[in-house]
Amino acid sequence: MPQPRIAFVGFGEAARCFASHLAAQIDAPMVAFCQGKTNAPPYSAAFRAMAASCGVMLVDRLENLSDADVIFSAVVVAVAAETGEAISRVIRPGTLVVDINAATPRTKKHVAAAVEARGCLFADANLMGSVDLYGAAVPLYTSGSGAARFAETFGPLGFCIEVAGADAGTAAAVKMLRSVVTKGMEALLVEALTAATLAGVRDETMRGLCASMDATTFSKFLDMCVRSDVLHAERRAVEMDGVAAGLRELGFDPVMTTATAARLKVSARLGLRQEFAERASYSADEVLDRYAHVVSGASAEFENRP
């Protein structure tokens, strides 16, 4: 399929970036349908002009996309499932549906089942970065029945696609858990630096943070955090309760600091400190395996209560 007929459902930042890139790569026309709060039929002249500048013609009905070879679903998470279901009702057998929404693994599996029931393929494609930074070359971690076809078709067109397997939801799970870290770090940094500004030590705090982080690799930092958590979570929780109190003295609500203390207390309550303190050495994987074992046992016990 060297010249696929491409359509978009939703035409926000990512879809516009991809469309603009594809317009320079292929001759086939592209179309898009939007039904969002801001842009919906009848579209404004400005929105139509913007779409045209990306090489895309807007259509007024989802059914107008039925002859597309590839449909990108690029909507807000709140409507990802219903949009996927709606797409499944209008596509013809053989269509590839590429879902780039930041939806949950369960939602991706649900949409995949609806799409595949129509004799079509589904690619659970997840942006592992920002299009502001990477443009159309943003890494796309992809799984599902259509992942291989997506890579074969769009890799030569300049897309950066890594296939994670044939099961929809696999890639979404990695994206979801990556977001726990990236968005969590954003929230932590903003909280710390806002408080630092209130305390009049922003520059000093930034230097201290950057110096320690720049001195190592993230993989080494991650390994250290996990291995030390099992030994020091209880002590660190007490420290963070004190930090939260200090931030309140600045007139600042320590949302992330309080959550950090709570998370550390959870680790401490697993009761694994002595076990690992007695070991001559251990890996982060061993800690995480024990955490998961204890947590899954606690979950099973809770579910089996009368």
Side-chain angles (χ1 to χ4, degrees), residues 128-274:
M128 306 299 278
S130 168
V131 293
D132 280 342
L133 180 62
Y134 293 98
V138 61
L140 292 165
Y141 196 56
T142 308
S143 64
S145 59
R149 179 173 153 191
F150 179 47
E152 291 166 3
T153 304
F154 288 86
L157 298 175
F159 282 56
C160 181
I161 302 167
E162 180 180 352
V163 176
D167 296 328
T170 298
V174 175
K175 163 72 174 183
M176 178 178 68
L177 297 171
R178 178 181 180 275
S179 293
V180 171
V181 175
T182 56
K183 274 65 170 183
M185 288 177 64
E186 173 190 333
L188 284 168
L189 288 168
V190 169
E191 177 161 301
L193 293 173
T194 302
T197 301
L198 289 170
V201 292
R202 182 171 65 199
D203 291 344
E204 295 87 342
T205 301
M206 289 185 70
R207 283 198 300 272
L209 286 170
C210 292
S212 59
M213 295 301 291
D214 290 345
T216 187
T217 63
F218 188 77
S219 58
K220 290 180 179 178
F221 177 70
L222 183 153
D223 181 77
M224 180 274 293
C225 286
V226 174
R227 287 189 298 105
S228 65
D229 184 78
V230 72
L231 298 180
H232 305 299
E234 183 173 9
R235 172 180 59 80
R236 289 171 177 169
V238 174
E239 292 175 3
M240 294 310 294
D241 280 338
V243 171
L247 294 181
R248 292 189 187 97
E249 290 174 3
L250 295 173
F252 188 76
D253 183 11
V255 175
M256 294 300 297
T257 306
T258 302
T260 299
R263 174 63 253 178
L264 289 165
K265 290 171 185 176
V266 169
S267 291
R269 284 197 297 270
L270 296 179
L272 297 173
R273 183 186 185 282
Q274 189 62 34

Side-chain angles (χ1 to χ4, degrees), residues 79-141:
V79 298
E82 64 184 82
T83 298
E85 293 172 354
I87 291 172
S88 74
R89 291 192 288 268
V90 304
I91 50 180
R92 54 186 175 79
T95 302
L96 170 62
V97 176
V98 181
D99 187 325
I100 66 171
N101 306 306
T104 65
R106 179 178 293 181
T107 295
K108 297 272 188 165
K109 289 177 181 291
H110 175 79
V111 174
V115 167
E116 290 163 0
R118 295 294 298 267
C120 300
L121 296 174
F122 179 84
D124 164 17
N126 301 269
L127 280 67
M128 306 299 278
S130 168
V131 293
D132 280 342
L133 180 62
Y134 293 98
V138 61
L140 292 165
Y141 196 56

